[in-house]
Coordinates of all heavy atoms in Angstrom, one line a residue:
M1 N -26.8 13.4 16.6 CA -26.8 12.2 15.9 C -25.6 12.2 14.9 O -25.3 13.2 14.2 CB -28.1 12.1 15.1 CG -28.2 10.9 14.3 SD -29.9 10.6 13.8 CE -29.7 10.9 12.0
A2 N -24.9 11.1 14.8 CA -23.7 11.0 13.9 C -24.2 10.9 12.5 O -25.2 10.2 12.2 CB -22.8 9.8 14.3
R3 N -23.5 11.5 11.6 CA -23.8 11.4 10.2 C -23.0 10.3 9.6 O -21.9 10.1 10.0 CB -23.5 12.7 9.4 CG -24.4 13.8 9.9 CD -24.1 15.1 9.1 NE -24.9 16.2 9.7 CZ -25.5 17.1 8.9 NH1 -25.4 17.0 7.6 NH2 -26.2 18.0 9.4
R4 N -23.6 9.6 8.6 CA -22.8 8.6 7.9 C -22.6 9.0 6.5 O -23.4 9.7 5.9 CB -23.6 7.3 7.9 CG -23.9 6.8 9.4 CD -24.5 5.5 9.3 NE -23.5 4.5 8.9 CZ -23.5 3.2 9.2 NH1 -24.5 2.8 9.9 NH2 -22.6 2.4 8.8
F5 N -21.5 8.6 5.9 CA -21.2 8.9 4.6 C -20.3 7.8 4.0 O -19.7 7.0 4.7 CB -20.5 10.2 4.4 CG -19.2 10.3 5.1 CD1 -18.0 10.1 4.4 CD2 -19.1 10.7 6.4 CE1 -16.8 10.1 5.0 CE2 -17.9 10.8 7.1 CZ -16.7 10.5 6.4
T6 N -20.3 7.7 2.7 CA -19.6 6.7 2.0 C -18.7 7.4 0.9 O -19.2 8.2 0.2 CB -20.6 5.7 1.2 OG1 -21.4 5.1 2.3 CG2 -19.8 4.7 0.5
I7 N -17.5 6.9 0.8 CA -16.6 7.3 -0.3 C -16.2 6.1 -1.1 O -15.9 5.0 -0.5 CB -15.3 8.0 0.3 CG1 -15.7 9.2 1.1 CG2 -14.3 8.3 -0.8 CD1 -14.5 9.8 1.9
S8 N -16.3 6.2 -2.4 CA -15.9 5.1 -3.2 C -15.1 5.5 -4.4 O -15.1 6.7 -4.8 CB -17.2 4.3 -3.6 OG -18.0 5.1 -4.5
A9 N -14.4 4.6 -5.0 CA -13.6 4.8 -6.2 C -13.6 3.5 -7.0 O -13.8 2.4 -6.5 CB -12.2 5.2 -5.8
S10 N -13.3 3.7 -8.2 CA -13.2 2.4 -9.0 C -12.1 2.6 -10.1 O -11.7 3.7 -10.4 CB -14.6 2.2 -9.7 OG -14.9 3.2 -10.6
A11 N -11.7 1.5 -10.6 CA -10.6 1.6 -11.6 C -10.8 0.3 -12.5 O -11.4 -0.7 -12.1 CB -9.3 1.5 -11.0
I12 N -10.4 0.4 -13.7 CA -10.4 -0.7 -14.6 C -9.0 -1.2 -14.9 O -8.1 -0.4 -15.2 CB -11.1 -0.4 -16.0 CG1 -12.6 0.0 -15.7 CG2 -11.0 -1.5 -17.0 CD1 -13.3 0.5 -16.9
F13 N -8.7 -2.5 -14.6 CA -7.4 -3.1 -14.9 C -7.6 -4.1 -16.0 O -8.4 -5.0 -15.9 CB -6.9 -3.8 -13.6 CG -6.7 -2.8 -12.4 CD1 -7.7 -2.7 -11.5 CD2 -5.5 -2.2 -12.3 CE1 -7.5 -1.8 -10.4 CE2 -5.3 -1.3 -11.3 CZ -6.3 -1.1 -10.3
H14 N -6.6 -4.0 -16.9 CA -6.6 -4.9 -18.0 C -5.7 -6.0 -17.6 O -4.6 -6.2 -18.2 CB -6.2 -4.2 -19.3 CG -7.2 -3.1 -19.7 ND1 -8.4 -3.4 -20.2 CD2 -7.2 -1.8 -19.6 CE1 -9.1 -2.3 -20.5 NE2 -8.3 -1.3 -20.1
A15 N -6.1 -6.8 -16.6 CA -5.3 -7.9 -16.1 C -6.2 -8.9 -15.4 O -7.3 -8.5 -15.0 CB -4.2 -7.4 -15.2
T16 N -5.8 -10.1 -15.3 CA -6.6 -11.1 -14.6 C -6.6 -10.7 -13.1 O -5.6 -10.1 -12.6 CB -6.0 -12.5 -14.8 OG1 -4.7 -12.6 -14.2 CG2 -5.9 -12.8 -16.3
P17 N -7.6 -11.2 -12.4 CA -7.6 -11.0 -10.9 C -6.3 -11.6 -10.3 O -5.8 -11.0 -9.3 CB -8.9 -11.7 -10.4 CG -9.8 -11.6 -11.6 CD -8.9 -11.8 -12.8
A18 N -5.9 -12.8 -10.7 CA -4.7 -13.4 -10.2 C -3.5 -12.5 -10.3 O -2.6 -12.4 -9.4 CB -4.5 -14.7 -10.8
R19 N -3.3 -11.8 -11.5 CA -2.2 -10.9 -11.7 C -2.3 -9.7 -10.8 O -1.3 -9.3 -10.2 CB -2.2 -10.5 -13.2 CG -1.1 -9.5 -13.5 CD 0.3 -10.1 -13.5 NE 1.3 -9.2 -13.8 CZ 2.4 -9.0 -13.1 NH1 2.6 -9.7 -12.1 NH2 3.2 -8.0 -13.5
V20 N -3.5 -9.1 -10.7 CA -3.6 -7.9 -9.8 C -3.3 -8.3 -8.4 O -2.6 -7.6 -7.7 CB -5.1 -7.3 -9.9 CG1 -5.3 -6.3 -8.9 CG2 -5.3 -6.8 -11.3
F21 N -3.8 -9.5 -7.9 CA -3.6 -9.9 -6.6 C -2.1 -10.1 -6.3 O -1.6 -9.7 -5.2 CB -4.3 -11.2 -6.3 CG -4.1 -11.8 -5.0 CD1 -4.7 -11.3 -3.8 CD2 -3.1 -12.9 -4.8 CE1 -4.4 -11.9 -2.6 CE2 -2.9 -13.4 -3.6 CZ -3.5 -12.9 -2.5
S22 N -1.3 -10.7 -7.3 CA 0.1 -11.0 -7.1 C 0.8 -9.7 -6.9 O 1.8 -9.6 -6.2 CB 0.6 -11.8 -8.3 OG 0.7 -11.0 -9.4
V23 N 0.4 -8.6 -7.6 CA 1.1 -7.3 -7.4 C 0.7 -6.6 -6.1 O 1.6 -6.1 -5.4 CB 0.8 -6.4 -8.6 CG1 1.3 -5.0 -8.4 CG2 1.4 -7.0 -10.0
V24 N -0.5 -6.6 -5.8 CA -1.0 -5.9 -4.6 C -0.5 -6.5 -3.3 O -0.1 -5.8 -2.4 CB -2.5 -5.9 -4.6 CG1 -3.1 -5.3 -3.2 CG2 -3.1 -5.0 -5.7
Q25 N -0.3 -7.8 -3.2 CA 0.1 -8.5 -2.0 C 1.6 -8.6 -1.9 O 2.1 -9.0 -0.9 CB -0.5 -9.9 -1.9 CG -0.2 -10.8 -2.9 CD 0.9 -11.8 -2.6 OE1 1.0 -12.2 -1.4 NE2 1.7 -12.2 -3.5
D26 N 2.3 -8.1 -2.9 CA 3.8 -8.1 -2.9 C 4.3 -6.7 -2.5 O 4.3 -5.8 -3.3 CB 4.3 -8.5 -4.3 CG 5.8 -8.6 -4.4 OD1 6.5 -8.1 -3.5 OD2 6.3 -9.1 -5.4
L27 N 4.8 -6.6 -1.3 CA 5.2 -5.3 -0.8 C 6.4 -4.7 -1.5 O 6.6 -3.5 -1.4 CB 5.4 -5.3 0.7 CG 4.1 -5.7 1.6 CD1 4.5 -5.6 3.0 CD2 3.0 -4.7 1.2
T28 N 7.2 -5.6 -2.2 CA 8.3 -5.0 -3.0 C 7.8 -4.2 -4.2 O 8.5 -3.4 -4.8 CB 9.2 -6.1 -3.5 OG1 8.6 -7.0 -4.4 CG2 9.8 -6.9 -2.3
R29 N 6.5 -4.4 -4.5 CA 5.9 -3.7 -5.6 C 5.0 -2.5 -5.2 O 4.5 -1.8 -6.0 CB 4.9 -4.6 -6.4 CG 5.6 -5.9 -6.9 CD 6.5 -5.7 -8.1 NE 5.9 -4.9 -9.2 CZ 5.2 -5.4 -10.2 NH1 5.0 -6.7 -10.3 NH2 4.7 -4.6 -11.2
W30 N 5.0 -2.2 -3.9 CA 4.1 -1.1 -3.4 C 4.4 0.2 -4.0 O 3.5 0.9 -4.4 CB 4.3 -1.1 -1.9 CG 3.5 0.0 -1.2 CD1 4.1 1.2 -0.7 CD2 2.2 0.1 -0.9 NE1 3.1 2.0 -0.2 CE2 1.9 1.3 -0.2 CE3 1.1 -0.8 -1.1 CZ2 0.7 1.7 0.2 CZ3 -0.1 -0.4 -0.7 CH2 -0.4 0.8 0.0
N31 N 5.7 0.6 -4.1 CA 6.0 1.9 -4.7 C 5.8 2.0 -6.2 O 5.7 3.1 -6.7 CB 7.5 2.2 -4.4 CG 7.7 2.3 -2.9 OD1 6.8 2.5 -2.1 ND2 9.0 2.2 -2.5
D32 N 5.5 0.9 -6.8 CA 5.2 0.9 -8.3 C 3.8 1.4 -8.5 O 3.6 2.0 -9.6 CB 5.3 -0.5 -8.9 CG 6.6 -1.1 -8.9 OD1 7.6 -0.4 -8.7 OD2 6.8 -2.3 -9.1
W33 N 2.9 1.2 -7.6 CA 1.5 1.6 -7.8 C 0.9 2.5 -6.8 O -0.2 3.1 -7.0 CB 0.7 0.4 -8.1 CG 0.6 -0.5 -6.9 CD1 1.4 -1.6 -6.6 CD2 -0.4 -0.5 -5.8 NE1 1.0 -2.2 -5.4 CE2 -0.1 -1.5 -4.9 CE3 -1.5 0.3 -5.6 CZ2 -0.8 -1.7 -3.8 CZ3 -2.2 0.1 -4.4 CH2 -1.9 -0.9 -3.5
S34 N 1.5 2.6 -5.7 CA 0.9 3.4 -4.6 C 1.0 4.9 -4.8 O 2.1 5.4 -5.1 CB 1.6 3.1 -3.2 OG 1.2 4.0 -2.2
P35 N -0.1 5.7 -4.7 CA 0.0 7.1 -4.9 C 0.8 7.8 -3.7 O 1.3 8.9 -3.9 CB -1.4 7.6 -4.9 CG -2.2 6.5 -4.1 CD -1.4 5.2 -4.4
F36 N 1.0 7.1 -2.6 CA 1.7 7.8 -1.5 C 3.1 8.0 -1.8 O 3.7 8.9 -1.3 CB 1.4 6.9 -0.2 CG 0.0 6.8 0.1 CD1 -0.7 5.6 0.0 CD2 -0.7 7.9 0.6 CE1 -2.0 5.5 0.3 CE2 -2.1 7.8 0.9 CZ -2.7 6.6 0.7
F37 N 3.7 7.0 -2.5 CA 5.2 7.2 -2.7 C 5.5 8.4 -3.6 O 6.4 9.1 -3.5 CB 5.7 5.9 -3.4 CG 7.2 5.9 -3.6 CD1 8.1 5.8 -2.5 CD2 7.8 6.0 -4.9 CE1 9.5 5.8 -2.7 CE2 9.1 6.1 -5.1 CZ 10.0 6.0 -4.0
A38 N 4.6 8.6 -4.6 CA 4.7 9.8 -5.5 C 4.6 11.1 -4.7 O 5.3 12.1 -5.1 CB 3.7 9.7 -6.6
E39 N 3.8 11.1 -3.7 CA 3.6 12.4 -2.9 C 4.8 12.7 -2.0 O 5.0 13.8 -1.5 CB 2.4 12.2 -2.0 CG 1.1 12.2 -2.8 CD -0.1 12.1 -2.0 OE1 0.0 12.2 -0.7 OE2 -1.2 11.8 -2.5
D40 N 5.6 11.6 -1.7 CA 6.8 11.8 -0.7 C 7.9 10.9 -1.2 O 8.2 9.9 -0.6 CB 6.4 11.5 0.7 CG 7.4 11.8 1.7 OD1 8.4 12.4 1.3 OD2 7.1 11.6 2.9
P41 N 8.5 11.3 -2.4 CA 9.6 10.4 -3.0 C 10.8 10.3 -2.1 O 11.6 9.4 -2.3 CB 9.9 11.1 -4.3 CG 9.4 12.5 -4.2 CD 8.3 12.4 -3.2
Q42 N 11.0 11.1 -1.1 CA 12.2 11.0 -0.2 C 11.9 10.1 1.0 O 12.7 10.0 1.9 CB 12.6 12.4 0.3 CG 12.9 13.3 -0.8 CD 14.1 12.8 -1.7 OE1 15.1 12.3 -1.1 NE2 13.9 12.9 -3.0
V43 N 10.7 9.5 1.1 CA 10.4 8.6 2.2 C 11.4 7.4 2.3 O 11.9 6.9 1.3 CB 8.9 8.1 2.0 CG1 8.8 7.1 0.9 CG2 8.4 7.4 3.3
H44 N 11.7 7.0 3.5 CA 12.5 5.9 3.7 C 11.6 4.7 4.2 O 10.7 4.9 4.9 CB 13.5 6.2 4.9 CG 14.5 7.3 4.6 ND1 15.5 7.1 3.8 CD2 14.4 8.6 5.0 CE1 16.2 8.3 3.7 NE2 15.6 9.2 4.4
F45 N 11.9 3.6 3.6 CA 11.0 2.4 3.9 C 11.8 1.2 3.9 O 13.0 1.1 3.5 CB 9.9 2.3 2.8 CG 10.4 2.0 1.4 CD1 10.6 0.7 1.0 CD2 10.8 3.0 0.6 CE1 11.0 0.3 -0.3 CE2 11.3 2.7 -0.7 CZ 11.4 1.4 -1.1
G46 N 11.2 0.2 4.6 CA 11.8 -1.2 4.7 C 10.7 -2.2 4.7 O 9.6 -2.0 5.1
I47 N 11.1 -3.4 4.3 CA 10.2 -4.5 4.3 C 10.8 -5.6 5.2 O 12.0 -5.9 5.1 CB 10.0 -5.1 2.9 CG1 9.4 -4.1 2.0 CG2 9.2 -6.4 2.9 CD1 9.4 -4.4 0.5
L48 N 9.9 -6.0 6.2 CA 10.4 -7.0 7.2 C 9.6 -8.3 7.0 O 8.5 -8.3 6.5 CB 10.1 -6.5 8.5 CG 10.6 -5.0 8.8 CD1 10.0 -4.5 10.1 CD2 12.1 -5.1 8.9
G49 N 10.3 -9.4 7.3 CA 9.6 -10.7 7.1 C 9.5 -11.1 5.7 O 10.3 -10.7 4.9
P50 N 8.5 -11.8 5.4 CA 8.3 -12.2 3.9 C 8.1 -11.0 3.1 O 7.6 -10.0 3.6 CB 7.2 -13.2 3.9 CG 6.4 -12.9 5.2 CD 7.4 -12.4 6.2
K51 N 8.5 -11.0 1.9 CA 8.3 -9.8 1.0 C 6.8 -9.7 0.5 O 6.4 -8.7 0.0 CB 9.2 -9.9 -0.2 CG 10.7 -9.8 0.3 CD 11.6 -9.9 -0.9 CE 13.0 -10.0 -0.5 NZ 13.8 -9.1 -0.1
A52 N 6.1 -10.8 0.5 CA 4.7 -10.8 0.0 C 3.9 -11.7 0.9 O 4.4 -12.6 1.6 CB 4.7 -11.3 -1.4
G53 N 2.6 -11.5 0.9 CA 1.6 -12.3 1.5 C 1.6 -12.2 3.0 O 2.1 -11.2 3.6
L54 N 1.0 -13.1 3.6 CA 0.8 -13.1 5.1 C 2.0 -12.9 5.9 O 3.0 -13.5 5.7 CB 0.2 -14.5 5.5 CG -0.3 -14.6 7.0 CD1 -1.4 -13.7 7.2 CD2 -0.8 -16.0 7.2
G55 N 2.0 -11.9 6.8 CA 3.1 -11.6 7.6 C 4.1 -10.5 7.0 O 5.0 -10.1 7.7
A56 N 3.9 -10.2 5.8 CA 4.8 -9.1 5.2 C 4.5 -7.8 5.9 O 3.4 -7.5 6.1 CB 4.6 -9.1 3.7
V57 N 5.6 -7.1 6.2 CA 5.5 -5.8 6.9 C 6.2 -4.7 6.1 O 7.4 -5.0 5.6 CB 6.1 -5.9 8.3 CG1 6.1 -4.5 9.0 CG2 5.3 -6.9 9.1
Y58 N 5.6 -3.6 5.9 CA 6.2 -2.4 5.2 C 6.2 -1.2 6.2 O 5.1 -0.8 6.7 CB 5.3 -2.0 4.1 CG 5.7 -0.9 3.2 CD1 6.5 -1.2 2.0 CD2 5.5 0.4 3.4 CE1 6.9 -0.2 1.2 CE2 6.0 1.4 2.6 CZ 6.6 1.1 1.5 OH 7.1 2.1 0.6
D59 N 7.4 -0.8 6.6 CA 7.6 0.4 7.5 C 8.0 1.6 6.7 O 8.8 1.4 5.7 CB 8.7 0.1 8.5 CG 8.3 -0.8 9.7 OD1 7.1 -0.6 10.2 OD2 9.1 -1.7 10.0
W60 N 7.6 2.8 7.1 CA 8.0 3.9 6.4 C 8.1 5.1 7.3 O 7.5 5.1 8.4 CB 7.0 4.3 5.2 CG 5.7 4.8 5.7 CD1 5.4 6.1 5.9 CD2 4.6 4.0 5.9 NE1 4.1 6.2 6.3 CE2 3.6 4.9 6.4 CE3 4.2 2.7 5.9 CZ2 2.3 4.5 6.7 CZ3 3.0 2.3 6.3 CH2 2.0 3.2 6.6
E61 N 9.0 6.1 6.8 CA 9.0 7.3 7.5 C 9.5 8.4 6.5 O 10.4 8.2 5.8 CB 10.1 7.3 8.7 CG 10.2 8.5 9.5 CD 10.9 8.4 10.8 OE1 11.5 7.3 11.1 OE2 11.1 9.4 11.5
G62 N 8.7 9.5 6.5 CA 9.0 10.5 5.5 C 8.6 11.9 6.1 O 7.7 12.0 7.0
K63 N 9.1 12.9 5.5 CA 8.7 14.3 5.9 C 7.3 14.6 5.7 O 6.6 15.1 6.6 CB 9.6 15.3 5.1 CG 9.7 16.7 5.7 CD 10.7 17.5 5.0 CE 11.0 18.7 5.9 NZ 12.2 19.4 5.4
R64 N 6.7 14.2 4.6 CA 5.3 14.5 4.3 C 4.4 13.3 4.8 O 3.3 13.6 5.2 CB 5.0 14.7 2.8 CG 5.4 16.0 2.3 CD 4.9 16.3 0.9 NE 3.5 16.5 1.0 CZ 2.7 16.6 0.0 NH1 3.2 16.5 -1.2 NH2 1.4 16.9 0.1
S65 N 4.9 12.1 4.7 CA 4.0 10.9 4.9 C 4.0 10.5 6.4 O 3.3 9.7 6.8 CB 4.4 9.8 4.0 OG 5.8 9.5 4.2
G66 N 4.9 11.1 7.2 CA 5.0 10.7 8.6 C 5.6 9.3 8.8 O 6.4 8.8 7.9
K67 N 5.3 8.7 9.9 CA 5.9 7.4 10.2 C 4.7 6.4 10.3 O 3.7 6.7 10.9 CB 6.6 7.5 11.5 CG 7.3 6.2 11.9 CD 8.2 6.5 13.1 CE 8.9 5.2 13.5 NZ 9.8 5.3 14.7
G68 N 4.9 5.2 9.8 CA 3.9 4.2 9.9 C 4.3 2.8 9.6 O 5.5 2.6 9.2
R69 N 3.4 1.9 9.7 CA 3.7 0.5 9.5 C 2.4 -0.2 8.9 O 1.3 0.1 9.4 CB 4.1 -0.2 10.8 CG 4.3 -1.6 10.8 CD 4.6 -2.1 12.2 NE 4.5 -3.6 12.3 CZ 5.5 -4.4 12.5 NH1 6.7 -3.9 12.6 NH2 5.3 -5.7 12.5
M70 N 2.6 -1.1 8.0 CA 1.5 -1.8 7.4 C 1.9 -3.2 7.4 O 3.0 -3.6 7.0 CB 1.3 -1.2 6.0 CG 0.4 -2.0 5.1 SD 0.1 -1.2 3.5 CE 1.7 -1.2 2.8
E71 N 1.0 -4.1 7.8 CA 1.2 -5.5 7.8 C 0.1 -6.3 7.1 O -1.1 -6.0 7.3 CB 1.4 -6.1 9.2 CG 1.6 -7.5 9.3 CD 1.8 -8.0 10.7 OE1 1.9 -7.2 11.6 OE2 2.0 -9.2 10.9
I72 N 0.4 -7.2 6.3 CA -0.6 -8.1 5.7 C -1.0 -9.2 6.7 O -0.1 -10.0 7.0 CB -0.1 -8.7 4.3 CG1 0.2 -7.6 3.4 CG2 -1.2 -9.7 3.8 CD1 0.8 -8.1 2.0
V73 N -2.2 -9.1 7.1 CA -2.7 -10.0 8.2 C -3.6 -11.1 7.6 O -3.9 -12.0 8.4 CB -3.3 -9.2 9.4 CG1 -2.3 -8.3 10.0 CG2 -4.5 -8.5 8.9
E74 N -4.1 -10.9 6.4 CA -5.0 -11.9 5.8 C -4.9 -11.8 4.3 O -4.8 -10.7 3.8 CB -6.4 -11.6 6.3 CG -7.4 -12.6 5.8 CD -8.8 -12.4 6.3 OE1 -9.0 -11.6 7.3 OE2 -9.7 -12.9 5.7
V75 N -4.9 -12.9 3.6 CA -4.8 -12.9 2.2 C -5.9 -13.8 1.7 O -6.3 -14.7 2.4 CB -3.5 -13.3 1.6 CG1 -2.4 -12.3 1.9 CG2 -3.0 -14.7 2.1

């Protein structure tokens, strides 16, 4: 039988939901708040398509972080 588990985290932001949303969906701001960039500061990355919102793509490759791609598919 498979075991189920849940992991959760929370944070308090002293900003309006609209302000938080504008930062999170803007891939040019990803390195400002993402903990992954701090773990691999030598990572190479690029943003394709729009810089924010639907269709924005963030590609990366780094020694520690490996290679990957993230795309905003829904906002």
Side-chain angles (χ1 to χ4, degrees):
M1 184 165 112
R3 295 181 184 223
R4 298 186 73 154
F5 61 94
T6 301
I7 298 172
S8 65
S10 64
I12 296 173
F13 296 96
H14 298 286
T16 65
R19 177 72 180 130
V20 173
F21 177 79
S22 73
V23 171
V24 171
Q25 62 98 35
D26 183 348
L27 296 184
T28 65
R29 304 288 309 272
W30 177 257
N31 296 342
D32 294 345
W33 63 270
S34 169
F36 300 110
F37 186 71
E39 291 179 15
D40 191 358
Q42 301 301 315
V43 68
H44 298 283
F45 64 92
I47 298 172
L48 308 169
K51 296 179 192 280
L54 188 63
V57 174
Y58 185 97
D59 281 320
W60 71 89
E61 186 169 356
K63 197 169 199 172
R64 282 193 76 188
S65 58
K67 184 175 182 178
R69 174 184 167 107
M70 167 175 66
E71 179 177 356
I72 298 177
V73 297
E74 185 177 343
V75 292

